[in-house]
Structure formats: C-alpha cells, structure tokens
C-alpha cells in the first residue's frame, strides 16, 4: 500500500512537471525596447543660429492650478540624462501624503540623441568662455583636446533670455523661484552661472562640479566675487565619497569660500557614491532642498 501511494505521488509529480514544462514552453514575443511615457510631459526642438543641430528642450508641467505666484521652474543641464528622474521625483515631493512641495515645471536642456549625453556638444555648452584653449590636467582627458570649448555664456543666455520668456508665455511661472541643476560639467556650468548671472536663479545645485576644468579657471573668479550679488541665493553642492581626491578638495574649497562670504551654502558627501552614481540621489536631495513648500493653510477661527 505504501509503495502504491509513493508511485501515485511520483506519477502526479511527473504529470505536474510535464504541465509546468508545457506552460513555460509556450512561445514568447520578441524582446521589445522599453519606452516610458511621462505624464504631462513633452519636448520641443529648439534651433539656435549658427549651430547645425538643435537643442531638445524637455518640459513637464504639473496638472492642476498653478500656485498663486506661479510655478517654480527647475532647469536641468544634460536633460536627456536627468529629465525623467526629476519629473518622477518632483511628483513624489508634491504628493500630499508624503511631502508638501509646490508643483514645479521641469525643464531639461538636452539634445536630439538616443543616449543620455552628447559628449562633444556638452563640452562646448557647459564650459566657460576663455581666451586661450583650456588646459587638460589629466592624461585621460587628452582625447578631448580637439573638441570645442567655451560656449557657457551662450548656453546660459539660451536658458534665461530665450527659453524662460517663451515658457512664461505658455504658463504662469514664479520668476523668484528659478532653480538650476547640473552634474559634473553641468555642475561647473551651474557655478559659472552663479558667478556671471547670480540674479538669474534663486537656487543653484552643483553636483560633482568639474572645478578642475582649465586648471581651476573658475575658482579665482568665485573667490573674488562680491557676496552681495549672491545674497539670498541657495547653493547646494553634493559629492560622492568615492570621487577623485582633487574633486573632493575643489568642492570643499568652494564650500569654504561660500561660507567665508556669508552665503547660504550647503555641502554634502554621500557614502558609497562615485562620480556617476552620486547624481540620482543628489537630484532628489536638490529638489527636496530647493523647491519651495506649499503655503500653510490656516484654519479659520471659530
């Protein structure tokens, strides 16, 4: 009797395995690329004079009414890389169950490419103008020596003088709540904007800024800048713990200078993070810190 029971169980197991095998043997579709559609988001291609290829400007506008003073606006350099994350994160920060941030328009300045970075164009767009060709301080950067540099002034003008007025015609925006975010060369560009047009934004988030660029070209300019021109501005610098020593030293140098000048600056070092991996969590932290909160509603007196 015992052996008969065992044989029946074995037969059932074999049958079950056969059925499972048949289920998983069914044909599946061909692999397809993952394409995610972001709600309330679109892009426009923006042609600039004397440039062969346009910029791609990614825009996300929150649902519902704008705040009384208009939408805050967050501008992202390397928009192809950071736009999706910024949109998703900003929506989380607006959720009434978790956070109490004002809904913000997200603008990503990018390029009509398939990937996340256009290396050649960002070297031009995100570096400050210089009279002489920039010095490449590290051997691994020699491959960039034939690229064009120094278009930061034009890029900043594109953001502030062209895209922002165009955006203001489409949506109510808060001119006093304009935030700039950049990583690596984008972080260098963010501090360049702080140095040259500090009135253009009220929040500056420089993640792993490439202050080494051109033998530290921007550092003396930041050091001698009058602090009064940056009064009331929020500066947020984030680095990864595992980044190169010279980059960590430069970031600490910037924080020390801003502190000496009495500016509202905060510096964070994230553990376990390197130059590439620090960007996503730093983006969340920047939005958390720099986006304004919703005004508190006072209950009427009874």
């Amino acid at each position: 009797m015992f052996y008969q029971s065992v044989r029946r169980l074995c037969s059932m197991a074999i049958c079950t395995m056969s059925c499972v095998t048949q289920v998983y043997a069914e044909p599946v579709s061909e692999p397809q690329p993952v394409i995610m559609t972001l709600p309330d988001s679109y892009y426009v291609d923006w042609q600039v004079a004397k440039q062969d290829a346009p910029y791609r400007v990614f825009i996300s506008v929150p649902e519902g009414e704008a705040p009384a003073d208009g939408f805050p606006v967050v501008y992202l350099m390397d928009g192809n890389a950071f736009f999706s994350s910024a949109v998703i994160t900003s929506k989380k920060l607006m959720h009434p169950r978790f956070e109490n941030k004002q809904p913000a328009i997200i603008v990503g300045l990018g390029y009509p490419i398939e990937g996340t970075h256009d290396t050649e164009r960002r070297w031009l767009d995100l570096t400050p103008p210089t009279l002489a060709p920039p010095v490449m301080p590290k051997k691994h950067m020699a491959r960039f020596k034939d690229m064009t540099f120094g278009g930061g002034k034009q890029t900043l003008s594109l953001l502030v003088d062209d895209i922002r007025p165009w955006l203001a015609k489409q949506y109510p925006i808060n001119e006093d709540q304009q935030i700039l975010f950049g990583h690596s060369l984008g972080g260098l560009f963010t501090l360049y904007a702080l140095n040259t047009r500090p009135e253009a934004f009220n929040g500056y988030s420089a993640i792993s800024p490439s202050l080494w660029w051109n033998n530290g070209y921007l550092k003396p300019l930041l050091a001698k800048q009058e602090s009064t021109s940056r009064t009331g501005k929020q500066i947020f610098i984030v680095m990864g713990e595992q980044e190169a020593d010279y980059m960590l030293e430069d970031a600490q140098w910037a924080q020390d200078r801003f502190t000496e000048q009495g500016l509202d600056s905060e510096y964070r070092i994230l553990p376990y993070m390197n130059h590439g991996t620090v960007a996503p969590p730093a983006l969340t932290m920047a939005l958390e810190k720099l986006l304004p909160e919703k005004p508190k509603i006072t209950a009427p007196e009874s």
Side-chain angles (χ1 to χ4, degrees):
M1 184 70 177
F2 170 77
Y3 293 107
Q4 290 177 347
S5 299
V6 171
R7 281 197 297 272
R8 280 198 297 270
L9 289 171
C10 289
S11 298
M12 292 171 63
I14 291 170
C15 179
T16 302
M17 291 175 63
S18 176
C19 293
V20 170
T21 302
Q22 290 178 4
V23 170
Y24 283 96
E26 291 296 323
V28 297
S29 69
E30 291 294 319
Q32 300 295 322
V34 176
I35 301 175
M36 183 177 66
T37 301
L38 290 171
D40 311 311
S41 302
Y42 62 94
Y43 71 81
V44 296
D45 286 341
W46 195 294
Q47 187 65 53
V48 174
K50 299 182 180 179
Q51 289 204 16
D52 294 333
Y55 292 92
R56 180 154 289 176
V57 183
F58 302 90
I59 301 165
S60 177
V61 182
E63 289 183 294
E65 294 184 7
D69 295 328
F71 289 112
V73 183
V74 179
Y75 301 84
L76 310 165
M77 311 315 296
D78 292 315
N80 302 73
F82 299 116
F83 179 74
S84 296
S85 296
V87 171
I88 293 170
T89 300
S90 66
K91 289 183 180 297
K92 298 290 186 184
L93 293 175
M94 290 186 290
H95 198 290
R97 288 178 54 195
F98 307 111
E99 299 289 347
N100 200 34
K101 295 294 183 179
Q102 290 187 23
I105 293 176
I106 308 296
V107 177
L109 184 64
Y111 309 100
I113 59 173
E114 293 296 328
T116 57
H117 296 82
D118 187 324
T119 302
E120 185 170 348
R121 291 189 68 183
R122 70 192 298 269
W123 275 105
L124 169 64
D125 292 336
L126 302 180
T127 53
T130 57
L131 297 176
V135 177
M136 291 295 169
K138 302 295 177 183
K139 289 182 179 179
H140 75 276
M141 296 169 188
R143 67 185 187 276
F144 301 126
K145 62 181 174 56
D146 295 326
M147 291 189 180
T148 306
F149 302 87
K153 182 178 180 180
Q154 289 76 16
T155 306
L156 184 55
S157 178
L158 172 65
L159 283 178
V160 179
D161 302 323
D162 297 330
I163 294 177
R164 184 180 297 173
W166 175 83
L167 195 67
K169 290 181 181 179
Q170 319 299 319
Y171 313 102
I173 67 172
N174 187 341
E175 295 284 354
D176 295 326
Q177 293 292 341
Q178 305 284 306
I179 299 165
L180 181 61
F181 172 94
H183 168 253
S184 191
L185 285 177
L188 173 72
F189 175 84
T190 298
L191 295 181
Y192 166 74
L194 175 68
N195 176 250
T196 57
R197 296 187 66 172
E199 78 290 345
F201 303 91
N202 72 291
Y204 292 83
S205 182
I207 312 305
S208 303
S210 299
L211 283 169
W212 54 262
W213 184 79
N214 198 20
N215 278 351
Y217 169 83
L218 190 61
K219 291 167 67 176
L221 300 179
L222 291 170
K224 69 181 183 181
Q225 185 176 5
E226 292 291 335
S227 59
T228 53
S229 66
R230 294 167 289 177
T231 301
K233 308 300 180 182
Q234 287 184 290
I235 307 166
F236 189 50
I237 304 172
V238 182
M239 295 289 296
E241 180 185 50
Q242 298 177 6
E243 300 208 49
D245 288 343
Y246 65 90
M247 292 199 67
L248 288 164
E249 291 167 2
D250 280 345
Q252 185 63 62
W253 175 92
Q255 175 62 17
D256 290 344
R257 298 293 81 70
F258 295 149
T259 300
E260 290 172 0
Q261 294 165 353
L263 302 177
D264 181 3
S265 180
E266 181 177 346
Y267 176 41
R268 296 288 190 92
I269 300 177
L270 302 189
Y272 311 113
M273 299 290 123
N274 60 35
H275 186 67
T277 59
V278 71
L283 174 58
T284 298
M285 294 170 66
L287 294 175
E288 172 71 50
K289 177 176 175 60
L290 298 176
L291 282 175
E293 293 189 354
K294 295 177 183 176
K296 295 182 179 179
I297 300 175
T298 304
E301 296 183 1
S302 57

